[in-house]
Amino acid sequence: RWVYVTAETSNSVSVIDTRSDSVVTSFLVEVRPRAAAFSPDGSRAWVTNEISGSLTVVDARRHAVTASIELEGGTGKPVGVVVS
């Protein structure tokens, strides 16, 4: 039902409701968000932040950031994410 669109220049993620085809909210993440993936049950999402070297954990039911995980001491440059 939800699509997360990352915006590299504004460090934001826009949430699109596919039922109404409208942006319902946006939230901030760390520097240069690149990709998002959802848990199978749709309760969580993870957003990669390339320049920050981090992964943002999102409560996908509330569209709210719950945590940030630094990767490789912040030197990692994640651009993709997969959930299994």
Side-chain angles (χ1 to χ4, degrees), residues 16-41:
I16 298 172
D17 182 340
T18 60
R19 291 183 184 157
S20 65
D21 291 333
S22 62
V23 175
V24 294
T25 192
S26 295
F27 55 87
L28 294 176
V29 294
E30 295 187 34
V31 183
R32 193 178 280 169
R34 298 286 285 193
F38 291 88
S39 62
D41 68 358

Side-chain angles (χ1 to χ4, degrees), residues 1-67:
R1 166 165 188 189
W2 307 108
V3 174
Y4 280 14
V5 179
T6 60
E8 295 178 19
T9 58
S10 67
N11 299 343
S12 70
V13 176
S14 296
V15 180
I16 298 172
D17 182 340
T18 60
R19 291 183 184 157
S20 65
D21 291 333
S22 62
V23 175
V24 294
T25 192
S26 295
F27 55 87
L28 294 176
V29 294
E30 295 187 34
V31 183
R32 193 178 280 169
R34 298 286 285 193
F38 291 88
S39 62
D41 68 358
S43 67
R44 290 219 170 133
W46 293 268
V47 178
T48 58
N49 305 297
E50 181 183 12
I51 300 300
S52 296
S54 64
L55 185 70
T56 299
V57 182
V58 179
D59 177 331
R61 299 200 197 292
R62 296 183 306 120
H63 311 299
V65 173
T66 61

